[in-house]
């Protein structure tokens, strides 16, 4: 069946809810047992709030079917899902490989938490494919991937890395937030664990925090155990909104793709813009892997401005935008723009793009309005105060 049909049907248990189409928001810690026998043998469909509710299970089962995984565990944020995946794969004394383009809070998690538990991280050039083999040590257990990279958008050669990992007995975890399972089926490309920040496109309205980890057969029991040990359960309302978001995910992503491509093409033609870092554009490092492996692109990308602009020029541009707002996260209905600079924390590669860098998220506003806002902003850049 096609993706629209599947998204309309996944995770629904209407017959258990008097025919109502959507699984309601179940709130609850305690679940009551009828008899001593039921209590002592945990004979009940649900046993406790952290062990699952109909709302949580609807989302988990829908995501498992959508990703083609063996199972899914949820977390109360995307970063929580990254932590859940890493804690599932790693043990004390292990060595972990992480791309230099990784989402910054993931890097901080490795430095501030994993390090304390005796797990050492080495960062690698995200454009390395099978060449990653040279970095494998006797205690290397896990390769983390994020494709495209946060802010800088390097696309990774995922199939080469997962093939290498399989050959060397390593676990692979991918942060697949940008593409979602619709545009990059991570498990089909050999990833053991796939993380999605549901906060972004799945929620789609900048009003929830949620993370999902899907696991292939080999890692599913370990993921389940780690989830049960931590009991980091997302809020019932957020699970409900994620399920609602899932019904229109394909339509919103298609729109994000079309608009992202149009705006990236328009920006490329502006005299103040030097480069567009959009995976579907040949100027994006690793574009060939996007073209080979991805089924689409979404509405978040970066641009590099021509050299010579100062922070003051940038403030003149950004402080007076009328539609594009400054704020973290993306994947909602609203357009966002933020400056970024990866140079301070990269260790395996050098970030020196030659001009100021901006990440843009294209929302659902009218394209002519977005272009007018950006054109006025780019004009303020050069207006000299
Ligand atoms: C936003 C994001 C996260 C974290 O999601 P939160 O819900 O904000 O914690 C993780 N990975 C990537 C790639 C993200 O963009």
């Amino acid at each position: 069946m096609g993706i629209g049909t599947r998204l309309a049907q996944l995770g629904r248990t209407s017959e258990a809810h008097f025919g109502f189409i959507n699984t309601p928001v179940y709130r609850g810690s305690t679940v009551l047992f009828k008899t001593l026998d039921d209590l002592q043998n945990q004979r009940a469909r649900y046993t406790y709030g952290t062990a699952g509710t109909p709302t949580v299970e609807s989302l988990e089962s829908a995501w498992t079917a959508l990703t083609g995984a063996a199972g899914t565990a949820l977390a109360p944020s995307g970063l929580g899902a990254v932590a859940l995946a890493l804690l599932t794969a790693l043990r004390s004394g292990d060595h972990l490989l992480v791309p230099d383009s990784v989402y910054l809070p993931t890097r901080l998690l490795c430095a501030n938490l994993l390090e304390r538990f005796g797990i050492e991280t080495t960062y690698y050039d995200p454009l390395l494919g099978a060449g990653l083999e040279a970095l494998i040590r006797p205690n290397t257990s896990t390769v983390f991937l994020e494709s495209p990279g946060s802010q800088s958008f390097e696309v990774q050669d995922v199939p080469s890395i997962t093939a290498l990992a399989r050959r060397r007995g390593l676990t692979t975890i991918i942060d697949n937030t940008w593409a979602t399972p619709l545009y990059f089926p991570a498990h089909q490309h050999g990833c053991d664990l796939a993380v999605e920040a549901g906060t972004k496109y799945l929620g789609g309205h900048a009003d929830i925090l949620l993370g999902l980890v899907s696991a292939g057969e080999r890692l599913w029991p370990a993921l389940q155990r780690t989830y049960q040990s931590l009991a980091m359960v997302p809020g019932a309302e957020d699970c409900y909104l994620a399920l609602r978001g899932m019904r229109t995910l394909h339509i919103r992503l298609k729109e994000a793709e079309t608009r992202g491509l149009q705006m990236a093409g328009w920006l490329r033609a502006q005299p103040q813009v030097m480069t567009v870092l959009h995976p579907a554009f040949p100027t994006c490092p690793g574009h060939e892997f996007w073209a080979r492996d991805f089924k689409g692109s979404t509405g978040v990308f970066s641009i590099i401005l021509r050299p010579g602009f100062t922070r003051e020029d940038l403030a003149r541009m950004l402080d007076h935008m009328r539609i594009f707002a400054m704020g973290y996260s993306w994947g909602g209905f609203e357009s966002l723009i933020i400056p970024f600079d990866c140079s301070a924390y990269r260790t395996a590669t050098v970030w020196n793009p030659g001009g100021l860098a901006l990440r843009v998220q294209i929302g659902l506003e009218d394209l002519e309005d977005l272009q007018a806002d950006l054109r006025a902003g780019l004009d303020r850049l050069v207006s000299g105060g």
Side-chain angles (χ1 to χ4, degrees):
M1 275 194 283
I3 188 67
T5 311
R6 294 177 64 215
L7 289 174
Q9 297 190 345
L10 291 175
R12 276 172 45 186
T13 53
S14 308
E15 57 305 332
H17 305 290
F18 307 100
F20 284 97
I21 287 170
N22 295 299
T23 309
V25 175
Y26 276 81
R27 293 180 182 282
S29 51
T30 305
V31 180
L32 304 178
F33 299 85
K34 273 204 176 109
T35 65
L36 181 64
D37 188 53
D38 286 349
L39 177 78
Q40 290 184 332
N41 293 297
Q42 300 277 293
R43 253 196 277 281
R45 179 72 182 77
Y46 299 97
T47 55
Y48 191 63
T50 56
T53 67
T55 317
V56 164
E57 274 190 10
S58 284
L59 179 56
E60 285 174 345
S61 68
W63 197 254
T64 297
L66 185 63
T67 54
T72 299
L74 305 181
S77 69
L79 185 58
V82 170
L84 182 59
L86 287 167
L87 292 174
T88 295
L90 292 160
R91 60 178 65 220
S92 179
D94 280 358
H95 174 237
L96 166 69
L97 291 166
V98 173
D100 216 15
S101 51
V102 78
Y103 179 61
L104 183 57
T106 299
R107 184 184 284 264
L108 299 177
L109 191 161
C110 295
N112 298 337
L113 185 76
L114 298 184
E115 171 99 29
R116 278 205 287 123
F117 291 90
I119 295 155
E120 196 188 342
T121 303
T122 298
Y123 292 92
Y124 65 89
D125 182 339
L127 296 175
L128 275 182
L132 199 58
E133 186 147 27
L135 298 179
I136 296 176
R137 301 179 191 171
N139 63 334
T140 305
S141 74
T142 304
V143 183
F144 196 91
L145 304 96
E146 182 182 325
S147 183
S150 274
Q151 301 185 320
S152 47
F153 290 92
E154 296 92 335
V155 185
Q156 297 195 251
D157 186 353
V158 177
S160 292
I161 295 176
T162 55
L164 167 67
R166 245 190 329 277
R167 192 152 43 76
R168 299 292 301 262
L170 311 180
T171 295
T172 47
I173 306 172
I174 190 167
D175 186 333
N176 198 33
T177 299
W178 181 83
T180 85
L182 270 58
Y183 289 168
F184 188 78
H187 296 297
Q188 274 108 289
H189 284 291
C191 299
D192 294 307
L193 296 170
V195 171
E196 182 77 22
T199 307
K200 308 286 168 55
Y201 279 120
L202 184 58
H205 294 72
D207 56 0
I208 72 167
L209 288 163
L210 185 79
L212 308 95
V213 186
S214 50
E217 290 293 347
R218 194 171 67 81
L219 269 289
W220 172 230
L223 174 62
Q224 244 178 329
R225 275 196 303 277
T226 310
Y227 169 81
Q228 285 159 1
S229 305
L230 293 167
M232 292 196 301
V233 197
E237 195 95 31
D238 286 352
C239 294
Y240 178 88
L241 289 170
L243 272 165
R244 169 191 277 220
M246 192 179 298
R247 309 300 176 203
T248 56
L249 185 59
H250 58 312
I251 294 173
R252 290 185 290 106
L253 281 187
K254 194 84 218 142
E255 192 65 22
E257 172 169 42
T258 308
R259 301 162 141 272
L261 290 170
Q262 282 181 350
M263 290 302 290
W266 182 84
L267 277 162
R268 180 172 57 180
Q270 305 309 303
Q272 298 90 336
V273 177
M274 182 167 66
T275 314
V276 170
L277 300 177
H278 184 304
F281 283 53
T283 45
C284 190
H287 162 73
E288 64 274 25
F289 306 129
W290 176 83
R292 185 191 63 193
D293 300 333
F294 284 61
K295 296 179 182 171
S297 60
T298 56
V300 193
F301 60 92
S302 290
I303 56 171
I304 310 298
L305 299 174
R306 290 208 179 279
F309 295 122
T310 65
R311 188 179 175 284
E312 275 157 39
D313 296 331
L314 193 62
R316 237 182 6 260
M317 172 181 176
L318 296 180
D319 290 352
H320 305 284
M321 301 298 287
R322 301 178 68 169
I323 301 173
F324 281 88
M326 283 185 280
Y328 296 106
S329 208
W330 42 266
F333 54 84
E334 77 296 1
S335 290
L336 299 169
I337 188 165
I338 50 164
F340 68 92
D341 180 0
C342 315
S343 61
Y345 47 83
R346 289 220 170 184
T347 54
T349 54
V350 176
W351 174 255
N352 183 15
L356 294 173
L358 295 167
R359 187 186 71 189
V360 292
Q361 122 96 9
I362 306 303
L364 297 173
E365 304 92 341
D366 291 299
L367 286 179
E368 311 81 73
D369 295 338
L370 293 179
Q371 287 171 6
D373 196 32
L374 281 174
R375 178 173 295 129
L378 292 168
D379 286 347
R380 283 193 300 276
L381 257 187
V382 293
S383 73

